[in-house]
Amino acid sequence: MHALSIPTWVIHVSSVIEWVAAIWLVWIYGEVTGNRYWWGLSWAMLPALLSAMCACTWHFFDNASSLEWLVTLQASMTVVGNCTLCAAAWWIWRSASGGDRSQQE
């Protein structure tokens, strides 16, 4: 746990907490608006959360070489998360532009 300073740990942990709150708020927004595409965005945010949790776990164990696979998983989840967020944003944009209203009700 000595791999990071206390202020850096505060940033890491608060970022994870903020991301969880953002996922929850996006889900609630989908419920309030009745637009299910926002629920898709909250699901699309999960790989990025997993990525952050991998990084925190690796640092918690002092960047142990036995856990170096977490770095690969973290990078992979970042790529997957970026792709899922892009797709979810596109679906929201498409639904707002009148392309598909079937999922909104």
Side-chain angles (χ1 to χ4, degrees):
M1 200 158 133
H2 298 86
L4 301 179
S5 67
I6 298 296
T8 304
W9 270 114
V10 169
I11 296 297
H12 274 60
V13 172
S14 65
S15 294
V16 170
I17 293 168
E18 289 170 12
W19 198 251
V20 169
I23 292 170
W24 178 70
L25 290 171
V26 168
W27 185 272
I28 297 299
Y29 183 78
E31 287 181 344
V32 169
T33 62
N35 187 338
R36 295 181 185 168
Y37 288 103
W38 288 95
W39 293 346
L41 178 63
S42 63
W43 281 106
M45 295 170 78
L46 291 177
L49 176 62
L50 180 58
S51 173
M53 293 173 76
C54 287
C56 288
T57 302
W58 191 57
H59 291 316
F60 181 80
F61 291 104
D62 290 328
N63 303 342
S65 58
S66 62
L67 296 176
E68 207 160 298
W69 58 271
L70 281 172
V71 177
T72 303
L73 181 60
Q74 184 264 332
S76 300
M77 289 298 98
T78 297
V79 171
V80 169
N82 289 343
C83 293
T84 57
L85 287 168
C86 180
W90 180 78
W91 284 323
I92 291 169
W93 171 79
R94 189 172 148 226
S95 73
S97 65
D100 184 15
R101 299 278 183 194
S102 62
Q103 291 292 318
Q104 291 182 355
E105 297 177 14

